[in-house]
Amino acid sequence: MSHSSPLAGSTGPLAGSTGFSAPRIRLWLTCILVFIGIAALTRLALSIWIGLDTPGSMLSILSAWPAGLLDDLATALVLGLPFLAGLYLLARPLNWRIGRPLAHLLLLVLTGVAVFSAVAEIFFWNEFNSRFNGIAVYYLIFPKEVIGNIRESFDLRIYLPPIILVAALIYLLMRPRLRAALAMPPVRGEWKAALRAGALASLLALPAMALGPFEPAVERNVNELAVNGIHSLLRAALTNDSKYDGVYAGMPEAEALPLVKAMVRQDNTTPLVPADARSLLRRVDNSQGRDLAAAKKLNVVLILEESFGSVYFEDVFQDKQRDYARTVSPNWHRLAEQGLLFTNIYATGDRTVRALEAVFTSFAPIPGISTARRAGSEDMHSLPFQLKAQGYRSQFLYGGPTNFDNMGHFWQSIGFDSVLGQNDIKDRGFKTIWGVADEYLFKEALDRIDAMAGQPGPFLFSMLTVTNHRPFLYPEGRIAQKPSPNERDNSAAYADWALGQFIDAARSKPWFDDTLFVMIGDHGPKVWGAAQIPVQAFRVPLLFLAPKHLPAARNPVLGSSLDVTPTIMGLLGLSFDSPFFGVDLRHVPEGGGRIAMAHNFDVAVGDGKHAVVLTPKGDLRGYSMQVGAHQLEPAKDVPELIRKQAVAMTQTAHRMFYAHQYHEK
């Protein structure tokens, strides 16, 4: 008695419809070609964009296409395997009365998702100058905020109809293939042969995906063309907690530790641990030459300005960079004349959570996501913990929801006594999906600071604004004149106005004279440029303001946002045991200083003359660096010291974090 497969169909005239002529195989191959076609059209649009933005890059762009098409094919085969399996394993249910319309609906939805993803990639590129990356992954975790941001940023009545129309047309072209696939039962043995072929194709495709992303060009933005956008998204989702050892360049720890300790050594520090200890702990003596009042501990009000890069502060840029520079910050300029302004500070990343890591924990960036979003970030060394040991109370006020991006949990876990969000703001007169407009955040801040000042002891009050973020909406009638038709610039001008209003209102408060105000952009407004890491887009203004205690000055020293906490401690005249990767900017010698930043899975360390980029391919890429609004340029004659420092800092930070050696307890 013979037994046939439960999926085997009847024999007859159609029994010979096997191989590539089988209806299900033909439908599957058609879907593969549609996926590749959509990906290729997206790549073509980005190629034109890059060609216009980066003159002379046409040959590089062409060199990226073969690798890009290969990645499209590999991604299509791997993602298409479950689809192929479903066509056979669900053959009978798909032929039920309810199964057929569901199959057509599924095909229409998948087609719509593919078209929508392609359009989304174009908008994502406009915002981040990159294929889908970790930022896209983070946003998918918070669909409410993302959907709200899309609705407030774009008129969906304009964009959705063309997307639906294109998806419907593709579906109509594929519908006959789907009908044929559903109408014909599989012949004996067809499902096994088809799945074997699909699995083999996927296995052959996996190495191409695993070995990538391929980088045929020198320009970072051109290399983005060599990868499929969906593959890039999946890779970011699967490798956020990026492994270091065995992936990135390394060195013996006995060589790395002295290098890192030398990088944080200053003229007022004394080591507190043996040379071979995986710790940077040193005594920082801030008792000599203290700038602020010796008799009283000053309060600290720290303001993180959303997306407020140096491009909004500076007046002069190179001609080809003028599109990125706007003078929209009269209040920042006015306040800078009254305080200590650091003009060459670089953020450690292009996301707010990376700024939180740098500013509050003074931790060096490691590949992948910020430690603020990683398990194990609880109780990291921080500014709140240091000030708490000096008798300070602390509070954080955020204009948005504190559950977004794990920020509220992070603030609580690094020592803030209380964390407040938009629901704690009494007057929410104007808000977007991201939170309340800056003026209402600052209004609430004044009340909260009044309350803290009414209690004994000094305090740390920190806040994070939200307005200077897409959808770039703000209350009307606040800005005397719009500086340009660019929405982003107008939003930055409003943020500047709101900051000026806050400081002016604070001047009338009894606590103003005994308060150190710290203002810094969390990151730049937009990543741009062809370099592997576009350092020029990471520049942010950093201002310390305490008119009664701190003389006005401009300091051009090279520094990083991870230097904020040690500099605050120095300005307050508080000696302490520092575990930080950051240093006091006032003690950096002329011509010294360094930067460190992460972009996607790369990490860069620079000294103002040269920079080294660590990539997940295990190599070190050398560049010449010029401080200011200048892109990195490839260079071969990079000193060995900066190469070693880049590896030593990143490797040590990564090992410290995962060994729980950068924590209070």
Side-chain angles (χ1 to χ4, degrees):
M1 183 176 183
S2 62
H3 297 275
S4 62
S5 164
L7 295 178
S10 61
T11 58
L14 298 177
S17 297
T18 58
F20 291 124
S21 63
R24 285 171 177 78
I25 294 293
R26 293 177 66 186
L27 173 62
W28 178 65
L29 290 175
T30 301
C31 291
I32 295 290
L33 291 176
V34 168
F35 181 92
I36 294 174
I38 293 174
L41 287 174
T42 305
R43 182 172 292 105
L44 178 61
L46 295 180
S47 296
I48 295 172
W49 194 320
I50 294 172
L52 295 174
D53 197 44
T54 311
S57 60
M58 187 54 63
L59 289 178
S60 296
I61 290 173
L62 293 176
S63 71
W65 268 78
L69 291 173
L70 176 63
D71 199 46
D72 292 342
L73 175 60
T75 304
L77 290 172
V78 171
L79 296 182
L81 181 59
F83 181 77
L84 178 63
L87 287 175
Y88 283 97
L89 299 179
L90 301 176
R92 285 185 179 142
L94 290 176
N95 268 295
W96 295 343
R97 177 174 296 181
I98 193 174
R100 289 183 177 237
L102 285 178
H104 283 270
L105 178 62
L106 178 61
L107 181 62
L108 177 60
V109 169
L110 291 176
T111 304
V113 169
V115 175
F116 181 84
S117 298
V119 175
E121 266 204 272
I122 302 299
F123 284 100
F124 190 84
W125 183 278
N126 179 56
E127 192 73 16
F128 300 105
N129 204 227
S130 171
R131 292 281 202 169
F132 288 140
N133 55 26
I135 296 176
V137 175
Y138 309 146
Y139 282 170
L140 289 176
I141 298 174
F142 301 95
K144 176 185 174 183
E145 285 79 4
V146 173
I147 293 173
N149 189 32
I150 292 173
R151 291 177 60 187
E152 292 176 348
S153 299
F154 308 104
D155 189 343
L156 297 182
R157 295 171 299 179
I158 296 175
Y159 295 104
L160 281 183
I163 292 174
I164 294 172
L165 178 61
V166 172
L169 289 175
I170 295 175
Y171 160 75
L172 290 175
L173 292 174
M174 297 175 66
R175 186 170 61 175
R177 292 275 167 105
L178 178 59
R179 283 177 171 171
L182 295 176
M184 182 177 293
V187 299
R188 189 184 306 276
E190 178 187 332
W191 72 279
K192 291 182 179 179
L195 293 183
R196 279 198 298 266
L200 178 60
S202 297
L203 286 174
L204 293 175
L206 281 173
M209 297 181 69
L211 293 174
F214 299 104
E215 298 179 346
V218 174
E219 302 91 342
R220 175 198 58 83
N221 53 356
V222 173
N223 285 328
E224 295 282 352
L225 298 175
V227 67
N228 177 272
I230 302 300
H231 177 199
S232 180
L233 180 68
L234 293 173
R235 179 173 177 268
L238 295 173
T239 55
N240 269 340
D241 289 327
S242 188
K243 181 181 176 183
Y244 187 90
D245 291 322
V247 178
Y248 293 82
M251 65 169 54
E253 191 161 58
E255 183 181 0
L257 290 174
L259 283 169
V260 182
K261 293 180 180 184
M263 293 174 72
V264 301
R265 186 182 303 124
Q266 295 191 283
D267 58 10
N268 63 336
T269 64
T270 304
L272 295 177
V273 294
D276 60 349
R278 192 190 289 166
S279 170
L280 303 181
L281 197 65
R282 70 269 188 199
R283 184 64 180 174
V284 181
D285 183 2
N286 287 321
S287 62
Q288 300 297 319
R290 57 196 299 179
D291 292 304
L292 302 187
K296 184 176 183 179
K297 292 179 179 178
L298 297 189
N299 309 309
V300 179
V301 172
L302 196 161
I303 306 166
L304 275 169
E305 286 274 293
E306 171 66 43
S307 302
F308 206 93
S310 294
V311 292
Y312 294 131
F313 186 85
E314 294 168 341
D315 302 293
V316 179
F317 265 50
Q318 294 180 357
D319 287 341
K320 73 174 185 177
Q321 296 165 336
R322 288 191 186 280
D323 286 345
Y324 303 97
R326 301 283 190 274
T327 303
V328 296
S329 53
N331 290 283
W332 264 92
H333 281 79
R334 173 171 61 89
L335 296 173
E337 294 175 354
Q338 306 165 22
L340 173 59
L341 175 70
F342 288 90
T343 58
N344 286 311
I345 304 300
Y346 291 75
T348 58
D350 57 356
R351 295 210 65 236
T352 296
V353 284
R354 186 67 79 177
L356 301 180
E357 168 192 77
V359 170
F360 293 108
T361 71
S362 191
F363 187 70
I366 57 179
I369 59 175
S370 163
T371 54
R373 283 201 50 81
R374 300 189 194 215
S377 64
E378 294 81 5
D379 299 317
M380 287 181 71
H381 296 309
S382 69
L383 175 64
F385 279 133
Q386 286 291 341
L387 290 180
K388 185 176 293 186
Q390 301 278 354
Y392 281 69
R393 296 159 291 129
S394 60
Q395 189 171 92
F396 202 107
L397 175 63
Y398 176 41
T402 57
N403 65 331
F404 180 72
D405 237 1
N406 199 51
M407 291 192 291
H409 174 73
F410 179 70
W411 291 322
Q412 290 177 329
S413 73
I414 62 169
F416 278 99
D417 296 328
S418 65
V419 174
L420 308 171
Q422 67 175 4
N423 291 336
D424 300 298
I425 297 175
K426 294 182 288 293
D427 185 358
R428 300 190 289 272
F430 185 97
K431 65 188 291 289
T432 68
I433 191 63
W434 296 114
V436 302
D438 290 358
E439 64 185 88
Y440 298 101
L441 171 75
F442 288 133
K443 179 181 178 182
E444 182 71 24
L446 288 170
D447 292 340
R448 299 285 180 172
I449 298 173
D450 283 343
M452 294 191 79
Q455 301 171 9
F459 60 83
L460 164 66
F461 187 88
S462 299
M463 60 186 118
L464 171 63
T465 67
V466 300
T467 298
N468 194 30
H469 188 294
R470 188 173 293 282
F472 308 123
L473 299 177
Y474 52 88
E476 292 293 330
R478 304 305 198 261
I479 307 172
Q481 61 179 15
K482 294 186 177 182
S484 79
N486 184 289
E487 290 177 333
R488 189 189 301 268
D489 293 347
N490 290 333
S491 179
Y494 167 77
D496 173 77
W497 172 86
L499 176 65
Q501 293 290 303
F502 168 71
I503 297 296
D504 290 344
R507 292 182 193 276
S508 65
K509 301 292 185 177
W511 44 263
F512 179 83
D513 287 345
D514 292 324
T515 298
L516 170 66
F517 292 85
V518 185
M519 291 155 271
I520 184 172
D522 63 347
H523 54 77
K526 182 179 179 180
V527 172
W528 55 276
Q532 187 72 15
I533 291 189
V535 299
Q536 75 289 341
F538 288 66
R539 300 177 65 239
V540 292
L542 170 61
L543 176 63
F544 296 91
L545 179 69
K548 294 290 185 180
H549 306 286
L550 184 60
R554 287 197 174 211
N555 192 326
V557 68
L558 179 68
S560 166
S561 53
L562 60 85
D563 298 322
V564 171
T565 282
T567 306
I568 289 175
M569 297 298 290
L571 286 169
L572 293 176
L574 300 176
S575 298
F576 70 111
D577 296 340
S578 175
F580 300 130
F581 281 86
V583 298
D584 187 337
L585 291 168
R586 301 169 310 133
H587 288 267
V588 175
E590 185 177 351
R594 56 84 195 91
I595 62 170
M597 59 190 61
H599 181 55
N600 295 335
F601 299 97
D602 299 330
V603 175
V605 175
D607 62 5
K609 304 178 186 67
H610 303 92
V612 172
V613 175
L614 289 76
T615 78
K617 293 181 178 295
D619 59 347
L620 297 175
R621 301 182 183 179
Y623 297 86
S624 62
M625 176 185 174
Q626 185 177 353
V627 175
H630 307 283
Q631 299 189 50
L632 297 178
E633 297 292 341
K636 296 182 179 180
D637 57 342
V638 175
E640 187 65 19
L641 177 60
I642 186 66
R643 291 179 179 272
K644 290 183 176 181
Q645 287 176 331
V647 174
M649 173 181 274
T650 312
Q651 172 183 287
T652 301
H654 196 278
R655 291 181 180 179
M656 275 186 176
F657 180 81
Y658 283 103
H660 208 73
Q661 293 172 326
Y662 197 83
H663 299 70
E664 293 287 312
K665 54 188 176 181

